[in-house]
Amino acid sequence: MGGCVIVPIVDDMSTLPTMTDPTDRFDLDEFLPYLLNQAAEATSHEFQSAYRDRYGFTRTQWRVLANLGKFGAMTARDICAISHIEKTKVSRAVAALERAGILSRTPSETDRRAEVLSLTPTGHSVFAELGELAQGFDQNLRATLGQNEAANLVSILRHLAKGGQGRRGKDT
Amino acid sequence: MGGCVIVPIVDDMSTLPTMTDPTDRFDLDEFLPYLLNQAAEATSHEFQSAYRDRYGFTRTQWRVLANLGKFGAMTARDICAISHIEKTKVSRAVAALERAGILSRTPSETDRRAEVLSLTPTGHSVFAELGELAQGFDQNLRATLGQNEAANLVSILRHLAKGGQGRRGKDT
DNA sequence: CGTTCATAGTTGCAAATGCAACGAAGTCAA
DNA sequence: TTGACTTCGTTGCATTTGCAACTATGAACG
């Protein structure tokens, strides 16, 4: 940043080709997807150490666990729909969590393609522990933001997460 | 917020195991890192098709390009500091962008470990095109949010991105 | 100088991811 | 019933990522 002053090189700006008006040049500092990513990475990465160090979970695994813990037994498909996580990610996370004894699968009685996923007792206690950590972590974040801003943020994010992903089936 | 009154289900709470007070149970729906991720993924993924389809860039590559386009020539280190992208990611993105003729490296005159990165003419024009798309995309998002909420969101996200990642050197 | 420690950037390798393709089961209609 | 089409979930494969070295340079201090 060298505190530059912009001196017009030409007198008649209208002779410049397709150069659009300065006010709508792209501004990375204001680009929402970029800012969202930075904020998401910063916060998630910090909390990640909690589940990674203790249980070796990946972010996706923690997310699947959290959904099951929060909303109860459901199919992989439901998790996809609720969380907007891609189905192959869910599939692999479920496989890993099952190997780790966190959840178990039961064939659905109404649809033989699907399996109902539910936390094992171990899964429940792990969720309880991580949930408590998450809760504390979140409280900290909210404290630094202020409760009003935090509540505001939540509603805006919900809006973005809902409307943001138009196409269906995938998401990541 | 919700103005809830907590009605005890049992008379003697002390008989309940370790179950903490309902008001501080973990609520995934309100967990900021989770919501941030969903919103970030939803918006970024949608915009991703723009640079992936046209140029085959990854998200990281686009981010590096955007930083160079916006802030001008600088070293990889600077990009890391500004964007909070991990240095190996930056390193590989830079290598790829160089191969693609988007940027060029010049040994720093003051530090022989470092290289100054700058966009080539091609890089500038690619940035101009993608920047315009990004601009339009962002306008859309802001329109659905409303300008007030959008401005609000930006300031909160900046706050999170800054404070959020305490430890140094990494980030992802 | 020489020693020690920090920093810029790269690389190896294991793990996570994205995407397309697949098998199996469900749905709908002729 | 058959056939065309959709959906649930998994798998193969190429790409991207994370993390821990590692090289080369710089900086601090005796």
Side-chain angles (χ1 to χ4, degrees):
Chain A
M1 308 298 94
C4 307
V5 176
I6 308 299
V7 180
I9 306 294
V10 293
D11 331 84
D12 181 2
M13 297 291 282
S14 69
T15 63
L16 289 175
T18 329
M19 180 65 82
T20 47
D21 161 4
T23 55
D24 56 88
R25 295 303 308 286
F26 171 58
D27 190 351
L28 187 59
D29 285 329
E30 298 278 333
F31 190 44
L32 289 173
Y34 189 88
L35 292 169
L36 283 165
N37 261 292
Q38 285 197 199
E41 285 301 323
T43 57
S44 293
H45 195 272
E46 190 167 348
F47 180 62
Q48 183 176 32
S49 59
Y51 47 81
R52 200 195 26 185
D53 295 350
R54 299 184 189 220
Y55 301 104
F57 293 155
T58 65
R59 196 128 108 203
T60 307
Q61 285 163 25
W62 149 247
R63 294 230 236 161
V64 167
L65 165 58
N67 273 285
L68 284 174
K70 183 64 193 175
F71 301 112
M74 57 196 194
T75 68
R77 218 221 121 247
D78 296 330
I79 296 180
C80 291
I82 294 181
S83 67
H84 303 301
I85 302 175
E86 206 219 355
K87 66 179 181 175
T88 68
K89 256 160 113 176
V90 170
S91 173
R92 289 190 245 246
V94 165
L97 290 172
E98 186 186 32
R99 275 194 300 276
I102 301 294
L103 62 77
S104 64
R105 311 155 110 130
T106 320
S108 161
E109 302 192 347
T110 62
D111 184 340
R112 271 183 298 166
R113 294 169 302 178
E115 293 174 306
V116 177
L117 309 168
S118 48
L119 293 185
T120 60
T122 305
H124 275 108
S125 71
V126 168
F127 172 67
E129 181 181 334
L130 285 181
E132 206 165 322
L133 286 178
Q135 183 69 20
F137 185 82
D138 208 48
Q139 290 305 324
N140 271 359
L141 277 183
R142 284 162 190 270
T144 78
L145 291 179
Q147 294 304 320
N148 281 343
E149 307 245 293
N152 222 284
L153 177 60
V154 167
S155 89
I156 300 177
L157 292 178
R158 286 217 184 98
H159 188 161
L160 285 174
K162 286 235 191 313
Q165 36 86 43
R167 71 250 164 287
R168 250 302 25 93
K170 15 205 74 189
D171 97 310
T172 244
Chain B
M1 286 297 84
C4 306
V5 176
I6 308 301
V7 181
I9 306 294
V10 292
D11 329 86
D12 182 3
M13 296 291 281
S14 69
T15 62
L16 291 175
T18 328
M19 178 66 82
T20 46
D21 163 359
T23 56
D24 56 87
R25 292 305 307 287
F26 171 58
D27 189 351
L28 187 59
D29 285 328
E30 298 278 333
F31 190 45
L32 289 173
Y34 190 88
L35 293 169
L36 283 164
N37 262 293
Q38 284 197 200
E41 285 300 323
T43 57
S44 295
H45 194 271
E46 191 166 347
F47 181 62
Q48 184 176 30
S49 60
Y51 46 82
R52 199 195 27 182
D53 295 349
R54 298 183 190 222
Y55 302 104
F57 294 155
T58 65
R59 196 129 109 200
T60 307
Q61 285 162 24
W62 148 247
R63 291 232 238 162
V64 167
L65 165 58
N67 274 284
L68 284 174
K70 183 65 194 175
F71 302 114
M74 56 196 199
T75 68
R77 218 221 119 247
D78 296 329
I79 296 180
C80 291
I82 294 180
S83 66
H84 303 302
I85 303 174
E86 205 219 356
K87 66 178 181 175
T88 68
K89 255 160 113 176
V90 170
S91 174
R92 288 190 245 245
V94 165
L97 290 173
E98 186 186 32
R99 274 194 300 275
I102 300 294
L103 62 77
S104 65
R105 311 156 109 129
T106 319
S108 161
E109 301 193 347
T110 62
D111 184 341
R112 272 183 297 165
R113 293 169 301 181
E115 292 174 307
V116 177
L117 309 168
S118 47
L119 294 186
T120 61
T122 305
H124 276 108
S125 71
V126 168
F127 172 67
E129 181 181 335
L130 285 181
E132 208 165 320
L133 285 178
Q135 184 69 20
F137 185 82
D138 208 48
Q139 291 305 325
N140 271 358
L141 276 183
R142 284 161 190 270
T144 78
L145 291 178
Q147 293 304 320
N148 281 343
E149 306 245 292
N152 223 286
L153 177 60
V154 167
S155 89
I156 299 177
L157 292 178
R158 286 217 184 97
H159 188 161
L160 284 174
K162 285 234 190 312
Q165 35 86 42
R167 72 250 165 288
R168 254 291 37 87
K170 14 203 76 190
D171 98 311
T172 245

